[in-house]
Amino acid sequence: MHKITLIPGDGIGPSIMEVAVRVIEASGVSIQWDHQIAGMAAVDAVGTPLPEDTLDSIRRNRIAFKGPLTTPVGGGYRSVNVQLRQMFKLYANVRPATTFEGTRTPFNNVDMVIIRENTEGLYSGIEHEIGTDDEVLAAESIALITRAGSERVIRFAFEYARKHGRKRVTVVHKANILKKTTGMFLEIARTIAGDFPDIEFNDRIIDACAMRMVMSPEEFDVIVTTNLFGDILSDLAAGLVGGLGLIAGANIGKEYAIFEAVHGSAPDIAGKNIANPTAVILAGVMMLDHLREHEAARRIERAVREVIRECRCVTPDLNPESGYGTQDMADEIIRKMQSV
Ligand code: NAI
Ligand code: MG
């Protein structure tokens, strides 16, 4: 029996997490869910976005399955996602994007994994305003990149490539302009590449990389990059394969791991039963692989891909004429799991 902290999240979170739990349980894996809250849901219930009980639960279970959390833009509290990643030292954010048969996208040859540094860079949370008591005249955010933080995520990327039979690691940077920070990241990657002669290594500058990901996505296998670049490129990769509703991410550290979708709480579609549950279900698949429940993981993954391939009982982001919603799509995935 696995014990897992379950955080439903905000916006579309509770509805897609509820069906993801149903799909995971239908695979036969035995899980005891430890229900906790975070984000706006926690602010409304207990007055703080990251309650101590939730942190204690993650410390105990070491694994969490998390819905998207709303972060206010501008003022308000600091991103709970960023805080969780920093507190639990979840230094590698693994985001696979592989073409789904049946999606309406011009790309049918995408098979890449973006590994995003997840705890530092421009998201370190070191920000200042400069000015007078009356007026802010300037503001700065510091991109803190450490040697140790870079080494551990780059090494993780090479080891990931080796373990998953992938051929190439591409480091993405902006070392021509940000010479000290991403320059160091690149230099460390070059050194570590020497320890992995079986894995091809190359580098791309972020802006040109964005263009190449669209023009020739088949060039990319494993990408490793700093926090902000990884955030942006993983949404781009989601766009290549059919949208944000499809892409999952694993936040991995030495002791803890948190599994979630790449997308956010999608307030524009919350409460309409049209959110695509695929991303959180596939986050569940990554979690099952982490728990070495590979057979259950493959069964769910096959069923999800089959339902998307048929493009019939899917949410409107995949087929605007389908007339089906979140619950229907999950039911269809469960039927497929039982029939194969
Ligand atoms: P978003 O990812 O929530 O939505 C972007 C667009 O994609 C929207 O049009 C939305 O309807 C669509 N979309 C997202 N998930 C979908 C799904 N499962 N099915 C169908 N369509 C889907 O990004 P946005 O709007 O910028 O952010 C909303 C909130 O989510 C913000 O408060 C943000 O801070 C938070 N957020 C949280 C994340 C997390 O918890 N890991 C990650 C990204 C954003
Ligand atoms: Mg993002």
Side-chain angles (χ1 to χ4, degrees):
M1 165 89 72
H2 306 288
K3 276 195 184 168
I4 293 169
T5 302
L6 178 70
I7 302 171
D10 300 316
I12 59 173
S15 64
I16 53 177
M17 292 300 280
E18 188 253 317
V19 304
V21 164
R22 243 173 356 97
V23 170
I24 292 169
E25 289 185 341
S27 77
V29 178
S30 166
I31 294 177
Q32 189 184 329
W33 302 102
D34 182 356
H35 294 258
Q36 299 292 338
I37 49 173
M40 282 314 284
V43 171
D44 293 343
V46 294
T48 166
L50 192 49
E52 214 31 63
D53 285 352
T54 302
L55 294 172
D56 281 342
S57 166
I58 300 173
R59 282 187 201 110
R60 251 189 338 265
N61 300 322
R62 293 171 185 268
I63 296 191
F65 187 39
K66 185 185 95 39
L69 305 174
T70 296
T71 307
V73 172
Y77 58 81
R78 252 194 93 203
S79 163
V80 171
N81 298 310
V82 173
Q83 285 188 64
L84 286 171
R85 291 165 186 168
Q86 291 175 344
M87 287 172 97
F88 290 103
K89 300 191 171 58
L90 308 172
Y91 61 86
N93 193 329
V94 182
R95 298 177 156 186
T98 304
T99 297
F100 290 83
E101 271 185 74
T103 52
R104 295 174 183 193
T105 144
F107 307 97
N108 57 8
N109 49 356
V110 181
D111 184 15
M112 63 179 85
V113 181
I114 295 175
I115 298 180
R116 159 186 177 190
E117 198 295 317
N118 213 21
T119 56
E120 47 182 52
L122 251 184
Y123 293 11
S124 298
I126 311 170
E127 294 193 306
H128 312 275
E129 288 175 340
I130 301 159
T132 65
D133 286 346
D134 305 324
E135 199 182 1
V136 177
L137 298 171
E140 61 180 359
S141 299
I142 292 177
L144 179 71
I145 304 238
T146 66
R147 181 165 288 278
S150 306
E151 279 173 0
R152 64 185 177 184
V153 73
I154 293 165
R155 203 164 275 287
F156 178 97
F158 277 95
E159 277 161 6
Y160 179 96
R162 193 177 262 174
K163 187 170 163 205
H164 292 85
R166 291 190 171 263
K167 293 190 171 50
R168 180 189 296 139
V169 171
T170 301
V171 63
V172 177
H173 60 87
K174 187 75 185 178
N176 50 333
I177 308 291
L178 306 169
K179 293 181 197 296
K180 299 287 182 217
T181 48
T182 79
M184 182 178 73
F185 196 81
L186 172 61
E187 170 232 304
I188 292 170
R190 285 194 172 128
T191 306
I192 290 176
D195 295 341
F196 294 83
D198 48 322
I199 308 286
E200 223 182 285
F201 169 72
N202 64 3
D203 73 275
R204 292 276 177 258
I205 294 179
I206 176 67
D207 36 359
C209 177
M211 183 275 290
R212 295 180 85 102
M213 271 177 68
V214 177
M215 297 292 286
S216 48
E218 69 282 354
E219 275 180 35
F220 296 94
D221 194 353
V222 174
I223 288 176
V224 62
T225 189
T226 47
N227 208 336
L228 172 69
F229 297 161
D231 191 6
I232 297 170
L233 289 186
S234 46
D235 275 34
L236 195 162
L240 293 177
V241 301
L244 272 172
L246 298 172
I247 299 298
N251 300 277
I252 306 283
K254 280 209 162 46
E255 290 178 71
Y256 303 95
I258 299 183
F259 298 84
E260 63 183 341
V262 164
H263 65 70
S265 55
D268 54 335
I269 57 168
K272 297 183 178 162
N273 187 34
I274 57 169
N276 188 335
T278 301
V280 283
I281 293 171
L282 292 181
V285 166
M286 294 179 87
M287 181 171 76
L288 292 177
D289 276 324
H290 184 85
L291 295 166
R292 299 199 166 79
E293 297 280 6
H294 300 301
E295 203 213 323
R298 293 294 79 70
R299 275 183 66 207
I300 299 174
E301 193 177 13
R302 269 199 304 273
V304 169
R305 286 194 173 266
E306 184 59 17
V307 170
I308 294 173
R309 194 186 62 75
E310 290 176 357
C311 199
R312 188 184 55 83
C313 198
V314 293
T315 46
D317 55 315
L318 297 180
N319 178 356
E321 292 96 47
S322 77
Y324 291 105
T326 309
Q327 297 282 343
D328 307 309
M329 187 169 175
D331 291 340
E332 183 67 10
I333 291 167
I334 291 170
R335 264 196 298 279
K336 275 277 180 308
M337 282 164 65
Q338 287 158 351
S339 70
V340 287

